[in-house]
């Protein structure tokens, strides 16, 4: 393979549909900015990152969509179809022939697919696990005790409840798994592969040993390979070794040409391991090992073990509360057992049943199930909004996000350069000189690099300026190219030797301004332009002026004559701009209105960053990366207050994220390139934009599958709705638990009375099962970030629980509804009152507004939740009315209990609203309040630009940050054992074993490894 910079190397074509490959080209320019901050940069091309290797395939089976239509639809968003020809070099030599389809099929039958076989849990195992956990075990013990006491009625009822509970849990968990599997089916990985003598796009899972594949910068290595020929690659091996320094990998061809070549070292020096990232370089590789036989495949067990179930911020806080309540209930149960056996001399078996009832009442049976179903529904919704959630915890955490950091190139901007012909600077000026300079720039561009943003922009502008593509190509073709030297990151320029019928022999160069004016001794074709020293001052001033208005620049120099030692003259500066995405300004405005501060972190030049930030309404307080070091308290305050940073390195991006997290903020990060991956992995919410590199996708929690950033705001809104649903259920369930435990304890301690175990089991089962529709309840996204607070949740739960307990004990103590006068009647009335009151409580917990004001959407429950609650109440009323399982209660008294509980709900809700009006959010469990809307941009200013964010937005951001600092604990304080507890207290014990990642192999293992580098 020809070396970088040769004519053949420069003619390599990127894979069809790879989108904006030039994002990393521009980052090559940004590197130059960092080396010389006094000027903006020119451009060229680095190894172009592959952007279609993880594809979101259209799974629609709609008959009206023909394959051609689907193809156009997918190509518009940078996707590919498996089996299409790939526009990559075929390579030379016998080793490049690859395999035939028949050979590949035979090897695949013997070796298996290139994947880690997922441990898909059979349905009967999933069903069996519904009988494992605290709640099922309590029911099993209760059934066993009832059988031992020969109470066969209770035994049959408890056994039936156990089976019903298991079937409901199995059904909901199975639906949740199907939802996640549907998301996974949309994520496929592909790579250009030599099959039957042609490079075609092939699924990664179909690779076999012996296949020849083509990799370039930005790719995740899909299998253990050896580099046959191509550029020297820089490979990030952190996923396997934790080593932060990229490793250099030479091709076998280059290695064997080295005088110091040793055959015994070849295997080690040419190896590329599955799951690693190609950061720079491109070339053909031969697959050596696949699937479980790869290094990362053999470590898959360690990765899974290290990753396990990762609890989100909200889930962690909730399980802290649940654990505290359960521990208190267990202490109370031990005290009750001691009082009944040691003090009141009751039988141990009878006392144990009472204690068992107390414990059953304290366990939130459906909590894990509701969380799982809610997350799955949210992930499915986000998929419809063109955002694939790869880690479900992100749906919890993005609701709490208070800061969003974003890369610029390709994220906030289109990564599509546009030339402004009118702004071209030439010596002497004049329109003819500008046209001639643009023509020279077109000659020094490579039409084969269809996705190079610089060449693409220059050629497009040339076609338009020269009278259309056909006429322009005719003019350009008059310059017969004798030799073309392509761009590389070292020399940062292209050079073409050509012959023109009128102008004779010419040498034309296009590239970084300084590298065209005076190349220095950089190993390339070197020169110094005529009058370089005098001209340099003027060029620097002009370049700076263009950069302040957001332009990148390309220099053009021309020399007349034959040979390398031609006197070059600097001819022109060609300005071009990467415009913001169409929806960037609106999305930034909406995100800031949602109380989320937004910061730009870019490697681009400071002036360009400031101008871009101004255009998108982000603010102009953009600082250079030099302000990030050395670390100090003042530096941290600067990071908090700045609108962003320019000329940063990948480590600088990660440092910004760390500082913000250490201040107690929940940080999101958006990006698209290899250099964004460390920050994406560090942030609580990593978001890879549409057409991002594989490295960015592997590190992200959410992958956008359509152009633009609007899906980020959709994710914020949906996440806050999910948060509201979970908070309402948790608040309801803990309050109900407190009420049940307090009532049972008071009855035992104060009245020496015991509620039958069957009543408590009915309470636990009916009330929790009827709450499952809360996972899809109507919810309104709050106007501010939702910061989970354990004290707030406990305070609200205890207030609700104490008030509900007071209502129950008032009814019991007064014996108002005495009925037939039997103690059993009194206890049946108490049970029915608790059951109905607890069911109705969800209507108060789910909204900060008044429960009866159903005309406001925020107060209106979903039809399914309302019907479920009402059916649960009707069921227990019928059981009491007909005396089935419950002592018979008169219909009149049942009506009175309904009226009593509805009146109690109204009084309780009025108290909630009254306290809220006074500014005391004691019963709102830390709800952020307000309603998040899809705000439109405000009025336009004098420049025609929409106005800046309102004072309300700024105030809300300040409040959000203050609330975050007060309530959000640091990320590293989260304990993993709470996550285990959350999935063991209920019947859905099998839920934890499944990974939250929806990425295909090997990207799922790489993503897990990045989060657990110490696991190897």
């Amino acid at each position: 393979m020809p070396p970088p910079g040769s004519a053949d190397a420069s003619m390599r074509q990127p894979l069809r549909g790879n989108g904006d490959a030039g994002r990393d080209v521009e980052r090559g320019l940004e590197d130059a900015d960092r080396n010389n901050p006094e000027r903006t940069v020119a451009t060229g091309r680095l190894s172009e990152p592959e952007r279609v290797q993880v594809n979101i395939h259209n799974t629609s089976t709609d008959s009206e969509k023909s394959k051609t239509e689907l193809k156009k639809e997918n190509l518009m968003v940078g996707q590919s179809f498996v089996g299409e020809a790939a526009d990559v070099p075929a390579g030379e030599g016998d080793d490049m022939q690859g395999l035939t389809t028949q050979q590949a099929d035979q090897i695949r039958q013997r070796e298996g697919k290139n994947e880690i076989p997922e441990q898909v849990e059979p349905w009967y195992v999933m069903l069996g696990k519904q009988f494992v956990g605290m709640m099922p075990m309590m029911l099993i013990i209760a059934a066993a005790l009832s059988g031992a006491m020969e109470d066969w009625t209770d035994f049959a009822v408890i056994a039936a409840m156990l089976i019903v509970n298991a079937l409901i849990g199995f059904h909901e968990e199975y639906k949740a798994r199907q939802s996640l599997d549907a998301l996974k089916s949309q994520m496929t990985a592909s790579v250009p592969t030599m099959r039957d003598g042609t490079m075609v796009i092939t699924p990664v899972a179909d690779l076999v040993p012996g296949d020849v594949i083509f990799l370039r910068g930005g790719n995740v290595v899909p299998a253990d390979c050896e580099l046959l020929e191509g550029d020297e690659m820089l490979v990030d091996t952190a996923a396997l070794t934790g080593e932060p320094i990229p490793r250099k990998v030479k091709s076998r061809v280059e290695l064997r040409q080295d005088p110091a070549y040793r055959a015994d070292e070849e295997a080690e020096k040419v190896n590329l391991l599955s799951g690693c990232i190609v950061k720079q370089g491109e070339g053909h590789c031969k697959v050596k090992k696949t699937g479980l036989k790869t290094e990362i495949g053999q470590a898959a067990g360690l990765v899974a073990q290290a990753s396990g179930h990762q609890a989100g911020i909200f889930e962690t806080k909730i399980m802290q509360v649940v654990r505290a309540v359960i521990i208190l209930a267990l202490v109370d149960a031990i005290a009750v057992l001691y009082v009944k056996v040691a003090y009141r001399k009751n039988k141990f078996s009878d006392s144990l049943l009472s204690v068992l009832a107390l414990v059953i009442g304290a366990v939130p049976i459906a909590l894990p199930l509701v969380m799982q179903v809610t997350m799955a529904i949210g992930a499915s919704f986000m998929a419809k909004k063109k955002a694939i959630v790869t880690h479900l915890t992100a749906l919890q955490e993005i609701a709490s996000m208070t800061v969003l950091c974003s890369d610029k190139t390709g994220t906030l901007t289109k990564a599509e350069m546009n030339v402004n012909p009118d702004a071209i600077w030439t010596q002497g000026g004049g329109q003819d000189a500008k046209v001639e300079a643009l023509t020279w720039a077109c000659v020094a561009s490579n039409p084969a690099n269809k996705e190079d943003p610089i060449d693409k922009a220059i050629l497009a502008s040339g076609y338009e300026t020269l009278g259309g593509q056909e006429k322009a190509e005719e003019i350009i073709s008059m310059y017969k190219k004798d030799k073309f030297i392509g761009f590389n990151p070292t020399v940062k320029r292209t050079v073409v030797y050509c012959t023109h019928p009128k102008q004779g022999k010419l040498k034309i160069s296009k590239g970084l301004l300084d590298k065209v004016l005076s190349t220095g001794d950089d190993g390339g074709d070197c020169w110094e332009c005529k009058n370089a020293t005098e001209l340099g001052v003027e060029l620097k001033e002009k370049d700076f002026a263009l950069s302040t208005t957001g332009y990148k620049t390309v220099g053009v120099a021309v020399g007349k004559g034959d040979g390398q030692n031609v006197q070059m003259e600097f001819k022109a500066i060609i300005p071009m701009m990467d415009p913001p995405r169409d929806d960037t300004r609106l999305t930034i405005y909406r995100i800031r209105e949602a109380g989320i501060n937004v910061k730009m972190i870019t490697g681009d030049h400071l002036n360009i960053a400031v101008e871009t930030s101004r255009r998108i309404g982000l603010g102009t307080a953009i600082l250079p990366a030099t302000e990030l070091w050395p670390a100090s308290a003042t530096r941290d305050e600067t990071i908090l207050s700045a609108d962003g940073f320019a000329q940063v390195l990948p480590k600088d991006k990660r440092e910004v994220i760390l500082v913000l997290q250490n201040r107690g903020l929940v940080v999101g990060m958006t990006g698209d390139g290899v250099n964004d991956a460390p920050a994406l992995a560090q942030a609580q919410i990593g978001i890879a934009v549409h057409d991002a590199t594989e490295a960015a996708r592997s590190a992200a929690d959410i992958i956008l599958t359509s152009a633009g950033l609007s899906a980020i705001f959709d994710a914020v809104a949906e996440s806050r709705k999910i948060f509201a649903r979970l908070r309402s259920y948790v608040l309801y369930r803990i309050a109900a638990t407190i009420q049940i435990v307090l009532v049972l304890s008071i009855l035992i301690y104060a009245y020496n009375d015991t509620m039958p175990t069957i009543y408590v089991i009915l309470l636990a089962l009916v009330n929790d099962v009827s709450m499952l529709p809360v996972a899809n309840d109507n919810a309104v996204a709050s106007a501010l970030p939702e910061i989970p607070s354990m004290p707030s949740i406990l305070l609200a739960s205890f207030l609700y629980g104490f008030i509900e307990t007071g209502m129950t004990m008032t009814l019991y103590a007064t014996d108002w509804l005495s009925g037939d006068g039997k103690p059993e009647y009194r206890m049946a009335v108490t049970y029915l009152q608790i059951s109905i009151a607890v069911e109705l409580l969800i209507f108060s917990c789910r909204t900060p507004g008044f429960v009866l004001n159903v005309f406001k959407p925020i107060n209106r429950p979903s039809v399914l939740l309302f019907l479920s609650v009402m059916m649960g109440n009707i069921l227990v009323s019928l059981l009491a009315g007909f005396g089935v399982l419950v002592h018979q209660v008169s219909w009149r008294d049942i009506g009175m209990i309904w009226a009593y509980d509805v009146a109690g709900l109204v009084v309780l809700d009025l108290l909630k609203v009254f306290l809220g009006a006074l500014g005391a959010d004691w019963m709102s469990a830390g709800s952020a309040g307000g309603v998040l809307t899809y705000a439109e941009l405000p009025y336009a200013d004098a420049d025609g630009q929409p106005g800046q964010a309102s004072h309300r937005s700024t105030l809300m951001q300040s409040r959000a940050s203050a609330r975050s600092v007060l309530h959000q604990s640091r990320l590293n304080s989260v304990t993993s054992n709470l996550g285990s507890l959350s999935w063991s207290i209920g019947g859905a014990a099998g839920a934890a074993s499944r990974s939250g990642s929806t990425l295909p192999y090997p990207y799922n293992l790489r993503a897990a490894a990045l989060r657990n580098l110490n696991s190897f």
Side-chain angles (χ1 to χ4, degrees):
M1 174 172 282
S6 68
D8 290 339
S10 67
M11 298 295 283
R12 290 181 189 142
Q13 300 178 36
L15 181 63
R16 179 182 300 132
N18 72 342
D20 305 319
R23 266 170 247 180
D24 286 270
V25 176
E26 292 184 51
R27 290 193 177 93
L29 313 181
E30 294 164 7
D31 290 338
D33 274 334
R34 290 190 287 270
N35 295 331
N36 190 349
E38 295 299 321
R39 54 157 173 76
T40 187
V41 294
T43 188
R45 64 184 288 270
L46 293 171
S47 292
E48 297 161 357
E50 187 52 71
R51 301 192 182 269
V52 297
Q53 298 303 302
V54 180
N55 299 312
I56 316 298
H57 288 291
N58 193 318
T59 56
S60 173
T61 56
D62 196 287
S63 58
E64 296 105 40
K65 282 196 175 183
S66 66
K67 183 175 180 180
T68 302
E69 291 172 329
L70 286 174
K71 179 177 178 180
K72 290 179 180 178
E73 178 181 303
N74 280 271
L75 287 179
M76 283 193 298
V77 293
Q79 298 166 356
S80 66
F81 271 82
V82 170
E84 285 189 345
D87 288 336
V88 297
E92 299 176 357
D94 295 338
D95 288 338
M96 298 294 129
Q97 298 306 310
L99 303 173
T100 65
T101 301
Q102 183 178 2
Q103 289 173 329
D105 290 341
Q106 292 174 352
I107 297 174
R108 193 178 305 111
Q109 290 179 1
R110 183 178 70 248
E111 298 288 335
K113 284 200 166 189
N114 180 35
E115 60 187 12
I116 303 298
E118 185 179 0
Q119 299 298 321
V120 179
E121 203 170 61
W123 67 267
Y124 50 84
V125 174
M126 186 186 297
L127 178 60
K129 286 187 174 182
Q130 305 305 316
F131 296 93
V132 179
M134 186 177 291
M135 184 62 188
M137 291 307 298
M138 292 297 101
L139 292 175
I140 291 172
I141 294 173
L145 289 174
S146 299
M149 297 170 63
E150 298 185 354
D151 187 348
W152 301 115
T153 302
D154 280 4
F155 173 83
V157 171
I158 295 172
M161 288 180 178
L162 179 64
I163 294 172
V164 170
N165 172 56
L167 291 175
I168 292 175
F170 170 75
H171 176 261
E172 294 298 332
E173 185 179 344
Y174 189 74
K175 283 202 307 181
R177 189 170 83 173
Q178 284 184 317
S179 178
L180 291 180
D181 288 343
L183 290 181
K184 290 184 179 183
S185 68
Q186 298 184 51
M187 301 290 291
T188 62
S190 57
V191 65
T193 307
M194 179 65 73
R195 287 283 171 83
D196 301 316
T198 305
M199 295 298 291
V200 295
I201 299 172
T202 304
V204 164
D206 289 345
L207 293 180
V208 297
D211 268 330
V212 174
I213 62 176
F214 186 79
L215 299 177
R216 51 164 54 102
N219 283 158
V220 173
V221 181
D224 286 0
C225 309
E226 66 172 347
L227 180 57
L228 296 178
E229 67 169 21
D231 307 334
E232 180 178 78
M233 290 185 175
L234 281 180
V235 181
D236 177 4
T237 62
L240 278 174
T241 66
E243 174 59 45
I245 306 299
R247 182 171 67 93
K248 292 183 178 180
V249 177
K250 292 185 177 181
S251 69
R252 194 169 66 185
V253 172
E254 184 179 359
L255 189 65
R256 290 178 178 177
Q257 293 173 351
D258 191 331
Y261 167 73
R262 288 176 53 184
D264 59 333
E265 295 179 348
E266 178 178 294
E268 179 182 353
K269 292 186 176 181
V270 301
N271 275 354
L272 296 168
L273 299 181
S274 178
C276 296
I277 285 285
V278 179
K279 300 197 72 173
Q280 182 176 311
E282 60 183 33
H284 291 86
C285 306
K286 187 174 184 178
V287 176
K288 305 297 290 184
K289 297 178 182 178
T290 58
L292 286 170
K293 295 181 180 179
T294 63
E295 291 290 334
I296 199 169
Q298 294 174 14
L302 292 175
V303 173
Q305 182 180 4
S307 56
H309 174 70
Q310 297 178 351
I313 295 173
F314 181 67
E315 183 179 343
T316 300
K317 296 289 185 181
I318 293 310
M319 297 323 301
Q320 289 176 350
V321 175
V322 170
R323 184 176 67 171
V325 172
I326 290 177
I327 290 175
L328 290 175
L330 289 174
V331 172
D332 185 37
I334 294 172
V336 167
L337 186 62
Y338 175 78
V339 169
K340 290 180 74 69
V341 175
Y343 182 68
R344 292 176 178 167
K345 308 302 180 183
N346 292 345
K347 289 183 179 180
F348 180 80
S349 57
D350 292 340
S351 301
L352 189 60
L353 240 116
S354 300
V355 170
L356 199 60
L358 187 63
V359 174
I360 289 173
V363 177
I365 174 178
L367 180 58
L369 195 58
V370 169
M371 280 192 164
Q372 183 187 18
V373 173
T374 304
M375 292 293 104
I377 291 174
S380 298
F381 174 84
M382 288 309 303
K384 296 176 182 177
K385 291 287 186 178
K386 304 297 183 181
I388 300 296
V389 179
T390 63
H391 297 92
L392 293 183
T393 55
L395 285 177
Q396 300 175 34
E397 292 169 346
I398 198 171
S400 305
M401 183 171 68
T402 49
V403 180
L404 176 64
C405 299
S406 178
D407 176 44
K408 180 185 75 69
T409 304
T411 303
L412 299 175
T413 64
K414 296 179 178 179
E416 296 177 359
M417 306 302 294
N418 295 320
V419 174
N420 183 354
D422 295 331
I424 294 176
W425 176 91
T426 61
Q427 288 200 65
Q431 187 63 30
D432 291 343
K434 292 180 179 181
V435 173
E436 187 175 36
L438 188 56
T439 303
W440 287 329
C442 290
V443 174
S445 300
N446 186 357
N449 294 337
K450 300 174 183 178
E451 298 301 332
D452 185 294
I454 304 302
D455 286 359
K456 180 179 179 181
I458 289 176
L459 288 169
S461 179
Y463 293 160
E464 182 178 354
T465 303
L466 298 175
Q469 182 172 348
E470 185 176 346
K471 184 176 181 181
E473 288 179 346
E474 181 181 345
I475 294 173
I476 295 171
S477 65
M478 294 176 68
Y479 295 82
K480 183 180 178 182
K481 296 181 182 180
D482 303 315
K483 181 181 179 183
F484 187 94
I485 303 174
F487 177 93
N488 71 63
T490 302
V491 300
K492 297 182 174 67
R493 61 182 175 273
T494 63
V495 180
V496 60
Y497 292 85
C498 58
T499 303
H500 189 271
K502 293 182 179 181
Q503 301 178 36
K505 295 285 186 177
L506 296 174
K507 176 181 176 181
I508 305 173
S509 178
K510 166 182 67 71
L512 184 69
L513 212 65
D514 287 354
K515 288 294 187 178
V516 171
L517 180 65
S518 180
T519 64
D521 187 9
D522 56 12
D525 193 345
C526 301
W527 65 83
E528 181 175 296
C529 286
K530 183 179 179 181
N531 299 326
T533 304
E534 296 82 358
L535 194 58
V537 177
E538 181 182 359
L539 293 179
K540 185 176 180 180
E541 292 177 355
K542 183 61 181 177
D543 192 39
F544 181 80
L546 288 169
S547 73
T548 57
T549 54
Y551 285 106
K552 292 179 181 290
T553 55
V554 171
V556 177
V558 179
K560 293 187 178 181
D562 197 4
Q564 291 190 352
N565 298 321
V566 174
Q567 178 62 60
M568 300 289 286
E569 293 186 25
F570 192 92
K571 291 295 186 180
I573 299 177
I574 298 180
M576 54 189 66
M577 181 180 291
D578 178 16
R581 292 182 184 269
D582 296 335
D583 64 344
T584 295
R585 188 180 183 97
L586 177 59
T587 301
I588 294 297
Y589 176 76
R590 286 175 173 173
I591 290 174
R592 297 181 77 171
E593 283 289 296
I596 301 172
N597 193 11
V598 183
K599 298 180 184 293
M600 177 195 295
I601 311 177
T602 177
D604 214 341
H605 190 274
L606 178 61
N607 292 331
I608 294 175
V610 170
E611 176 62 18
T612 302
S613 184
R614 185 191 70 81
R615 286 172 174 265
I616 62 177
L618 190 58
T620 55
I622 308 295
L623 304 176
T626 52
E627 297 291 330
L628 294 173
W629 308 101
S632 66
T634 303
R635 185 282 306 261
D636 293 353
E637 291 297 329
T638 300
I639 290 176
L640 283 172
S641 60
D643 290 326
F645 294 90
Q647 298 164 219
V648 300
L649 296 169
K651 68 171 185 177
D652 299 326
K653 295 185 179 185
R654 186 173 181 272
E655 179 68 14
V656 171
I657 302 294
L658 282 169
V659 169
L660 295 172
Q661 288 175 333
N662 288 337
R663 287 303 186 98
L665 301 174
V666 180
V667 185
M669 174 71 194
T670 65
D672 70 316
V674 176
N675 62 341
D676 298 319
L680 289 170
Q682 178 61 45
Q684 285 102 323
I685 310 102
I687 304 171
V689 299
H690 165 68
D691 225 12
T693 60
E694 294 171 359
R697 293 187 179 208
S698 295
D701 302 293
I702 298 174
I703 299 174
L704 306 186
T705 61
S706 62
L709 302 176
S710 59
I712 296 177
F713 184 77
D714 292 334
V716 170
E718 181 62 20
S719 178
R720 292 185 185 180
K721 291 179 182 179
I722 290 173
F723 192 100
R725 295 183 186 110
L726 291 178
R727 182 183 53 231
S728 65
Y729 174 76
V730 168
L731 179 58
Y732 149 80
R733 193 59 188 88
I734 295 177
T737 296
I738 291 171
Q739 178 189 5
I740 293 171
V741 171
L742 286 178
V743 169
L744 295 182
S745 299
I746 293 172
L747 289 176
I748 292 172
Y749 291 131
Y751 297 95
N752 194 22
D753 200 355
T754 303
M755 182 173 287
T757 306
I758 190 67
Y759 289 2
V760 181
I761 294 174
L762 277 173
L763 272 174
L765 185 63
V766 175
N767 293 133
D768 271 333
V769 170
S770 64
M771 289 302 117
L772 289 178
V774 79
N776 203 23
D777 184 28
N778 292 335
V780 178
S782 64
L784 293 174
E786 295 279 14
I787 310 299
S789 169
M790 180 177 174
S792 298
I793 293 173
L794 276 176
L795 175 61
S797 298
F798 272 103
L799 283 174
Y800 276 114
F802 286 153
I803 295 172
E804 290 276 292
T805 299
M807 290 175 56
T808 301
M809 294 315 301
T810 298
L811 183 64
Y812 179 88
T814 58
D815 200 16
W816 171 39
L817 303 175
S818 56
D820 58 14
K822 295 180 180 179
E824 291 84 357
Y825 191 94
R826 188 183 191 185
M827 191 56 69
V829 166
T830 303
Y831 156 72
L832 187 59
Q833 187 277 327
I834 294 175
S835 183
I836 294 175
V838 166
E839 287 277 350
L840 296 178
L841 183 62
I842 187 63
F843 296 134
S844 179
C845 293
R846 61 174 299 278
T847 172
F850 185 48
V851 68
L852 295 183
N853 188 5
V854 295
F855 297 102
K856 286 188 176 181
I858 190 174
N859 300 325
R860 194 183 305 146
S862 67
V863 174
L864 188 59
L865 177 62
F866 179 80
L867 292 177
S868 180
V869 170
M870 290 299 105
M871 288 176 64
N873 283 337
I874 292 172
L875 173 64
V876 295
S877 298
L878 291 175
L879 292 177
F882 290 105
V884 179
L885 301 179
V886 181
H887 187 85
Q888 190 169 14
V889 179
S890 69
W891 292 107
R892 172 187 171 279
D893 286 351
I894 292 174
M896 295 296 292
I897 292 172
W898 271 78
Y900 180 75
D901 284 342
V902 171
L905 174 66
V906 172
V907 172
L908 185 69
D909 214 58
L910 286 173
L911 177 61
K912 176 192 69 178
V913 174
F914 177 72
L915 289 175
L918 295 179
D921 58 350
W922 296 346
M923 300 179 71
S924 65
S927 172
V931 178
L932 182 64
T933 61
Y934 280 73
E936 297 298 328
L937 287 169
Y939 62 90
D941 59 22
D943 296 329
Q945 295 286 346
Q948 296 292 329
S950 64
H951 174 71
R952 170 179 171 271
S953 174
T954 305
L955 177 63
M956 285 165 53
Q957 291 172 42
S958 300
R959 288 176 56 196
S961 298
R963 292 175 70 248
S964 177
V965 171
L966 288 172
H967 296 300
Q968 175 58 42
S969 65
R970 295 173 62 170
L971 182 66
N972 58 7
S973 66
V974 176
T975 53
S976 60
N977 61 317
L978 292 175
S980 301
L981 172 65
S982 70
W983 297 101
S984 62
I985 59 176
S993 61
R994 295 181 55 77
S995 170
S997 177
T998 58
L999 290 169
Y1001 171 82
Y1003 313 99
N1004 56 346
L1005 295 184
R1006 172 179 169 77
L1010 285 174
R1011 288 165 168 75
N1012 301 276
L1013 290 181
N1014 294 329
S1015 64
F1016 292 95

